[in-house]
Amino acid sequence: MSDLQAIPKIYQIDATLDQRTYLVGGELKSWKGDVSEVYSTISSSETYKPTLLGTIPDMGEPEAMEALEAALKAFDKGKGIWPTMRVRERIECMEKFVAQMEQKREVIVKLLMWEIGKSLPDSEKEFDRTVEYIHDTIEDYKQLDRNSAKFHKHQGVYAHIRRGPLGVVLCLGPYNYPLNETFALLIPAIIMGNTTIFKPAKHGVLLITPLLEAFQNSFPKGVVNILFGRGRAVAAPIMKTGKVDVLALIGNSKSANALQDQHPKSNRLRLVLGLEAKNPAIVLPDADLELSVQECLTGTLSFNGQRCTALKVVYVHEDICETFLRQFSDGVDALTFGNPWDKGVKLTPLPEPGKSDYIQELIDDALAKGAQIINEKGGQRFDNFIWPAVLYPVTKDMRVYKEEQFGPVIPVLSFTEIDEPLDDMAESNYGQQVSLFGKDVYALAPLIDTLANLVCRVNLNSSCQRGPDVYPFTGRKDSAQSTLSVHDALRSFSIRTFVAFKDNSLNNETVEQLLDTKLSNFISTEYIL
């Protein structure tokens, strides 16, 4: 599996990528400072060892300040070319970018597999889904503008209401969806007229580099600035200035809180955050067992459980718990482990070198406190993987119950009364999604009504997920702030603003002239097809 000869030539790494280019102020600049090596936990040698993929710049405060100044200059106190540009022209820039992005599919998919261990079908899906997301965002932005191309009148006052940019956005994406979820922040932030500073995640960083040139030639200078390095070295100095208007981050609440605390004017800071979750599955006694097992397998172990939307704890009614555990454990052990390009592979190498050790700690803690590994393969170690362990019975004093494991270990609890999982959810720090399995509508109806007040998405007889991207994606408590989706993200990265005037001959004549001359990009009734 790790033998170089077993890797198809099309997916082999021909040469390391020495990335020394970054984008600031519309220029692709050369980096001459220190670099960090980027390794893959996938081996390309006969005896296992991590594969060196390339290097990235190890940047610090001077480069962070340079990028911030470029973004501020591009916004230019609201006078910049980009924030005052016509909607049609901003859309043309985004269409130019996505057309160039589509030409980079092969190399980005390949890097997704090597950098984060995502399977070939899932890597292709992430790329294609991101392209589709950009096209859908463009269409939704057109509709948003169409809806604004009019005047309202109330109590003798006319209003021309549009959505305007917020200013400078600092964008930090996650490693598990380094393209899709990062662009779910970056694309709507850009198209709404904001200027941006973007730092890729630690893992999944090289795959951004094929797009640097497209960003550079698609947007005006300083609209998109891309840096590399550690968050504390790059993002923290930017936040300390207080000149960032929006923090857009998908990651964990610890990082989000630390960055928020750096900002000296927190009341001015808009937050768009997608954070951690501990999404439960609740399997009722009348649930379709075969369907529930299959959906829970997908929910817990898709991309090795490295998703904020993954099912991270499973509640099963005691009447069917034994049967569920047997079928579910057999299903886990029947999954195929291999390299991302292997046909039919479901489990792949973990991209974080220390993740297997962490999962082992959770398993050991649970076993010491009374849990058992139910599946035969559970906990088996490889050089770059640990086999998913189904743990039962799990209790609240175990780390695996409290912590978001973000990896291949599955805690299972049985319940007799439905209030048990409901109370646990109410007490949880998280509130993103839940999967509810059952058929009795008299049992489901009150449960749905309650669960909708504890989380933001109730998945009926299906696993938790983010998509389709047109649906709202958010969470309660520590799981999220603001809402992301094709529709909602445009609103999260903008603010309603309008021109108002009293109904009199002077104002009416003035506004008519503004419309006729088309001198204002804001006051416009142009209908974009």
Side-chain angles (χ1 to χ4, degrees):
M1 182 176 58
S2 62
D3 189 339
L4 179 62
Q5 300 304 316
I7 301 176
K9 183 171 179 57
I10 189 174
Y11 303 127
Q12 290 180 17
I13 297 295
D14 299 321
T16 56
L17 178 59
D18 185 24
Q19 173 58 34
R20 291 181 179 268
T21 304
Y22 64 105
L23 176 61
V24 169
E27 294 182 38
L28 290 171
K29 299 193 172 187
S30 296
W31 174 253
K32 296 180 174 60
D34 294 338
V35 297
S36 297
E37 293 180 329
V38 178
Y39 284 92
S40 171
T41 58
I42 299 169
S43 180
S44 59
S45 61
E46 294 184 8
T47 57
Y48 178 80
K49 67 176 182 178
T51 300
L52 178 64
L53 298 179
T55 60
I56 56 168
D58 190 8
M59 296 178 166
E61 185 170 347
E63 295 73 41
M65 292 301 98
E66 182 186 21
L68 176 61
E69 288 305 314
L72 289 167
K73 184 178 180 180
F75 196 74
D76 193 18
K77 303 173 184 176
K79 297 179 292 182
I81 294 173
W82 188 247
T84 60
M85 186 180 284
R86 291 185 184 277
V87 168
R88 180 187 297 277
E89 293 170 339
R90 286 211 289 257
I91 288 172
E92 288 172 355
C93 291
M94 189 62 73
E95 288 174 335
K96 181 180 180 181
F97 170 77
V98 73
Q100 293 178 71
M101 176 181 169
E102 290 181 78
Q103 298 173 16
K104 303 294 183 180
R105 184 180 189 269
E106 183 178 333
V107 63
I108 291 175
V109 166
K110 182 176 178 179
L111 286 168
L112 270 167
M113 291 189 291
W114 277 96
E115 284 199 81
I116 65 170
K118 186 164 286 189
S119 70
L120 175 59
D122 284 349
S123 295
E124 293 174 331
K125 181 181 177 182
E126 177 163 353
F127 184 91
D128 295 340
R129 176 183 174 186
T130 305
V131 169
E132 182 182 5
Y133 174 87
I134 298 174
H135 285 298
D136 288 346
T137 296
I138 290 170
E139 289 305 312
D140 205 86
Y141 187 36
K142 288 180 181 178
Q143 187 59 50
L144 179 64
D145 188 71
R146 293 178 195 129
N147 295 339
S148 301
K150 60 187 177 182
F151 289 83
H152 302 266
K153 185 180 180 183
H154 188 67
Q155 295 181 355
V157 177
Y158 281 103
H160 186 55
I161 306 170
R162 291 186 173 276
R163 298 198 72 89
L166 295 163
V168 175
V169 179
L170 175 61
C171 180
L172 305 170
Y175 83 79
N176 58 334
Y177 287 89
L179 188 70
N180 181 258
E181 291 204 345
T182 296
F183 278 33
L185 299 174
L186 191 59
I187 296 302
I190 295 170
I191 205 169
M192 290 309 296
N194 302 286
T195 60
T196 60
I197 306 161
F198 163 48
K199 189 197 82 66
K202 182 180 179 181
H203 304 288
V205 57
L206 290 174
L207 62 89
I208 297 297
T209 63
L211 298 175
L212 287 176
E213 188 174 337
F215 276 119
Q216 187 257 345
N217 65 40
S218 298
F219 302 102
K221 293 180 179 180
V223 172
V224 183
N225 303 278
I226 301 177
L227 301 174
F228 300 92
R230 294 176 300 167
R232 68 183 66 176
V234 174
I238 292 173
M239 292 296 290
K240 286 178 182 178
T241 66
K243 295 179 180 179
V244 168
D245 299 290
V246 186
L247 172 61
L249 179 149
I250 295 179
N252 63 70
S253 55
K254 183 178 179 181
S255 298
N257 291 336
L259 285 171
Q260 289 178 61
D261 291 343
Q262 302 275 4
H263 200 288
K265 300 175 182 178
S266 58
N267 60 298
R268 294 189 182 185
L269 183 65
R270 173 78 68 94
L271 298 172
V272 182
L273 308 175
L275 306 174
E276 63 262 44
K278 191 78 173 175
N279 294 332
I282 301 175
V283 186
L284 300 176
D286 69 319
D288 181 318
L289 208 54
E290 182 178 353
L291 171 67
S292 302
V293 166
Q294 189 55 51
E295 288 293 322
C296 285
L297 281 170
T298 301
T300 56
L301 292 175
S302 178
F303 191 39
N304 304 318
Q306 299 167 123
R307 301 178 301 123
C308 66
T309 56
L311 290 173
K312 299 192 176 77
V313 59
V314 180
Y315 292 88
V316 186
H317 194 277
E318 65 173 7
D319 289 352
I320 60 168
C321 191
E322 184 178 345
T323 306
F324 177 91
L325 281 171
R326 183 174 64 253
Q327 294 184 17
F328 183 73
S329 297
D330 289 345
V332 172
D333 284 351
L335 296 174
T336 304
F337 172 58
N339 281 329
W341 42 80
D342 293 341
K343 187 175 181 179
V345 68
K346 297 297 183 183
L347 304 171
T348 53
L350 299 169
E352 296 177 281
K355 179 53 70 76
S356 293
D357 291 337
Y358 169 68
I359 297 297
Q360 187 68 59
E361 289 177 14
L362 297 182
I363 293 172
D364 292 343
D365 174 76
L367 295 179
K369 293 172 180 173
Q372 294 181 345
I373 298 177
I374 304 301
N375 57 319
E376 289 184 12
K377 293 184 180 179
Q380 291 182 12
R381 296 288 294 266
F382 301 85
D383 291 307
N384 52 8
F385 191 68
I386 182 169
W387 197 272
V390 181
L391 298 174
Y392 178 84
V394 167
T395 54
K396 295 181 183 181
D397 61 336
M398 296 176 186
R399 288 178 59 189
V400 75
Y401 172 82
K402 294 178 283 190
E403 299 177 22
E404 186 199 30
Q405 62 268 41
F406 217 76
V409 59
I410 305 132
V412 181
L413 295 82
S414 64
F415 68 94
T416 54
E417 301 294 333
I418 192 60
D419 281 344
E420 295 170 45
L422 292 181
D423 288 346
D424 288 351
M425 290 178 65
E427 293 169 6
S428 171
N429 291 326
Y430 311 113
Q432 188 195 76
Q433 299 188 30
V434 64
S435 288
L436 178 62
F437 297 93
K439 292 178 286 189
D440 181 1
V441 294
Y442 291 96
L444 291 173
L447 270 178
I448 291 171
D449 293 350
T450 298
L451 290 169
N453 295 326
L454 297 176
V455 296
C456 291
R457 176 167 170 164
V458 179
N459 299 277
L460 185 59
N461 291 312
S462 56
S463 61
C464 296
Q465 63 181 66
R466 172 169 178 164
D469 289 323
V470 295
Y471 293 157
F473 180 59
T474 187
R476 299 173 185 267
K477 297 183 275 191
D478 289 344
S479 286
Q481 192 160 335
S482 296
T483 302
L484 293 172
S485 71
V486 170
H487 177 81
D488 293 299
L490 293 173
R491 289 151 180 83
S492 293
F493 286 103
S494 62
I495 190 167
R496 295 186 88 197
T497 183
F498 63 99
V499 174
F501 57 95
K502 292 180 180 179
D503 181 8
N504 58 46
S505 57
L506 172 63
N507 288 334
N508 294 345
E509 183 180 348
T510 302
V511 171
E512 285 176 3
Q513 289 184 35
L514 284 167
L515 290 172
D516 289 342
T517 59
K518 297 183 179 181
L519 292 172
S520 170
N521 292 344
F522 186 91
I523 295 181
S524 171
T525 54
E526 179 186 14
Y527 192 90
I528 301 176
L529 296 176

